[in-house]
Amino acid sequence: MNTELTEGECRYFTRLFEKLHSAVGPEEADMYKTMIAGALEMALARRVCD
């Protein structure tokens, strides 16, 4: 199983973590945490299916 992130995935995660870092309030931070968790789940699922 390939465990490396693609270049596109790296850019997406970088943007999400930057947004999480600059989040205003706990609700916005929770939204970005949820998005990061979902993106990680999708990336893992793609690798399991390959």
Side-chain angles (χ1 to χ4, degrees):
M1 175 171 46
N2 181 9
T3 58
E4 293 183 24
L5 295 174
T6 66
E7 186 176 331
E9 288 170 334
C10 286
R11 284 193 307 268
Y12 184 66
F13 283 114
T14 299
R15 280 195 308 269
L16 286 178
F17 279 108
E18 287 171 349
K19 288 180 180 282
L20 174 60
H21 182 70
S22 63
V24 179
E27 294 86 11
E28 189 173 327
D30 285 346
M31 178 185 71
Y32 288 118
K33 289 176 188 177
T34 300
M35 291 174 71
I36 291 167
L40 286 170
E41 185 177 357
M42 287 190 307
L44 179 60
R46 273 196 297 275
R47 280 150 182 80
V48 170
C49 292
D50 285 348

